[in-house]
Amino acid sequence: MTAPTKPPHGGTTESTSEHAPGEPLHSPVIDWFDEHARDLPWRRPEAGAWGVMVSEFMLQQTPVNRVLPVYEQWLARWPRPADLAAEAPGEAVRAWGRLGYPRRALRLHGAAVAITERHGGDVPADHSQLLALPGIGEYTAAAVASFAYGQRHAVLDTNVRRVFARAVTGVQYPPNATTAAERRLARELLPGDEATAARWAAASMELGALVCTAKNESCHRCPIAAFCAWRLAGKPAHEGPPRRGQTYAGTDRQVRGRLLAVLREAHAPVPQAALDRVWHEPVQRARALDGLVADGLVEPLPGGLYRLPLT
Ligand code: SF4
């Protein structure tokens, strides 16, 4: 299916040009997506806006294959925001399992509570109302508005940023943190038509996830290879600051993961000694535990006991 690129209609605000700079890229990327998109549960119509929101929280820092089983269990247990809102936040942390960065579980719980209290239990479609929910930033608001409600927003995740850096800017990697210039470019590249823009957002993200990946760019199967500025320039080497590593072993994040795993598996408060057993180094262990308590992920109780938060 070829998705048309139409001039913007009066209801949109971000592009006024009949020939958006991204126009040569739109149809090839969207056509490729129509043929190659993975069949993921949050892309099915029955996922609804809540399914899209849950998936976006989970996918932000965790790969698809690890998200899939937790997502399925989550939606089976809490099919609506109100179902999650009715539970203790610690249950969200427990169900988050080993997805990592567990503050996301607390934030998702907080968003579910706010959706239930302010929006009658329905995920709002309005971008500013989404952004006003606790724990929802610019990226998630744009992703939910675009993927769940078909609206026109620049959805700038790490995959999209890499595709734009290579195909349009002509460099191997985007900056370490998202810049104003990248946001401007993403808005300029948006198709004017709302439905096409929503398709483009999902398609450019999938291209970065499957073809133009961080480790290996598969230009021979890329639908925009003929236009790609970085490829056409002979793939100049990365000149920017060193890219952030993903070290995990020995970090406080690993210690926090171990401590939290003890509490997730216990269905009653656990003593300090049970936590002491999972990490040998006392200073780092104490720092990690303090951090979990400060983040609201662990609740200290009298008598040196700990549990996942009930409120
Ligand atoms: S041609 Fe290669 S580097 Fe350029 S966008 Fe496609 S996969 Fe990425």
Side-chain angles (χ1 to χ4, degrees), residues 11-151:
T12 57
T13 54
E14 295 192 45
S15 170
T16 53
S17 164
E18 289 220 356
H19 300 286
E23 209 163 281
L25 308 176
H26 296 156
S27 288
V29 173
I30 292 170
D31 288 352
W32 170 87
F33 184 63
D34 288 342
E35 205 175 323
H36 297 281
R38 290 167 293 180
D39 175 25
L40 298 171
W42 44 87
R43 289 185 177 153
R44 295 176 198 145
E46 64 268 24
W50 173 236
V52 170
M53 181 179 279
V54 170
S55 75
E56 286 302 330
F57 270 79
M58 292 182 174
L59 289 165
Q60 264 169 40
Q61 280 148 314
T62 310
V64 165
N65 60 344
R66 286 177 48 208
V67 164
L68 278 169
V70 181
Y71 171 88
E72 303 276 14
Q73 286 162 13
W74 193 282
L75 267 289
R77 181 170 175 188
W78 298 308
R80 298 164 307 162
D83 301 318
L84 176 59
E87 295 249 23
E91 285 308 300
V93 175
R94 194 189 309 278
W96 198 254
R98 305 184 62 82
L99 290 182
Y101 297 101
R103 271 178 288 182
R104 292 180 292 169
L106 285 184
R107 291 207 295 264
L108 184 50
H109 183 272
V113 171
I115 290 167
T116 307
E117 289 172 355
R118 296 182 208 163
H119 300 287
D122 293 323
V123 176
D126 182 80
H127 181 263
S128 56
Q129 288 184 340
L130 283 164
L131 203 49
L133 294 171
I136 301 239
E138 174 57 41
Y139 168 79
T140 309
V144 173
S146 178
F147 300 154
Y149 294 116
Q151 294 172 17

Side-chain angles (χ1 to χ4, degrees), residues 163 166-167 207 211-212 217-219 222 224-225 228 230-231 235:
V163 170
R166 291 176 182 171
L207 188 67
V211 174
C212 194
E217 68 282 359
S218 303
C219 306
C222 176
I224 51 171
C228 175
W230 184 58
R231 194 187 72 85
K235 299 191 175 178

Side-chain angles (χ1 to χ4, degrees), residues 246-287:
Q246 292 281 324
T247 48
Y248 182 68
T251 61
D252 283 8
R253 214 157 73 69
Q254 184 184 24
V255 188
R256 285 165 59 105
R258 294 240 181 125
L259 298 174
L260 215 45
V262 174
L263 296 168
R264 270 200 320 267
E265 278 146 33
H267 288 268
V270 303
Q272 175 82 48
L275 300 175
D276 291 349
R277 276 198 287 276
V278 296
W279 195 258
H280 57 284
E281 210 286 302
V283 175
Q284 193 181 22
R285 190 175 63 224
R287 186 170 65 227

